[in-house]
Amino acid sequence: ATYKTFTRIDGWTMKYPGDWTADDSNYATSGLVSFAAPTAGGTLRPNFGVTKTKTSFTADMVDYADLQGTIKTIIESSGGANVTTKVVSLPAGDAVRGDADLTKPGLSLKINQVQMYRDNVGFVLNFMSASDDYDTYKADAELMFQGFQPGI
């Protein structure tokens, strides 16, 4: 497999599969960069998003163990089921990961989300796939979680 590296001018980078596409056209307004898998068999193209937001706190103020409950509540309030959260150690540093199933009318999804914080900056990394396509693309998503560097 071949991989590309996406680099934002504000310093963060992401390794992603060479057959995926990157789109940062909404970054100025939402802080979101989207990565999309090639067309899949399911009802939704698997996608991975990175959102950068400003925060009012420093990294040493974040308690990742406490953050697990907050993330679980947010995912459940969005319709997530079978939600699990855990503190993870990635090459970019500590983070909280949430995994869940999400069912909407006519659509069954799996989501994986990672949140990490640096001084006055938060990053949310989110992978979403139709349940039918999840096993095909979960290794790509893991590569992207592992290949993210905040540049801070």
Side-chain angles (χ1 to χ4, degrees):
T2 61
Y3 302 100
K4 296 179 183 175
T5 299
F6 178 89
T7 303
R8 277 289 312 159
I9 58 172
D10 54 356
W12 67 263
T13 62
M14 166 75 72
K15 288 186 181 176
Y16 66 102
D19 58 350
W20 287 51
T21 57
D23 178 5
D24 66 348
S25 61
N26 294 316
Y27 193 76
T29 56
S30 67
L32 172 69
V33 176
S34 300
F35 299 85
T39 303
T43 53
L44 172 83
R45 255 175 104 179
N47 61 82
F48 193 104
V50 177
T51 305
K52 179 181 176 182
T53 57
K54 292 183 180 188
T55 65
S56 60
F57 48 87
T58 59
D60 60 350
M61 297 169 70
V62 177
D63 183 333
Y64 284 106
D66 284 346
L67 190 57
Q68 289 181 83
T70 303
I71 290 173
K72 183 175 186 195
T73 300
I74 290 168
I75 293 172
E76 287 174 340
S77 70
S78 299
N82 305 315
V83 180
T84 60
T85 59
K86 61 185 174 184
V87 177
V88 295
S89 186
L90 299 173
D94 287 343
V96 172
R97 178 175 174 145
D99 299 310
D101 299 319
L102 183 62
T103 304
K104 300 286 183 183
L107 190 59
S108 176
L109 303 171
K110 290 200 176 281
I111 59 172
N112 310 122
Q113 184 180 93
V114 167
Q115 292 190 21
M116 66 177 58
Y117 296 89
R118 299 295 176 267
D119 289 350
N120 304 108
V121 178
F123 291 95
V124 177
L125 288 62
N126 194 66
F127 174 67
M128 184 181 306
S129 172
S131 296
D132 293 347
D133 294 324
Y134 183 76
D135 287 339
T136 302
Y137 291 98
K138 69 180 178 182
D140 288 346
E142 292 305 324
L143 166 95
M144 296 169 84
F145 287 126
Q146 296 293 324
F148 176 76
Q149 289 293 327
I152 296 172

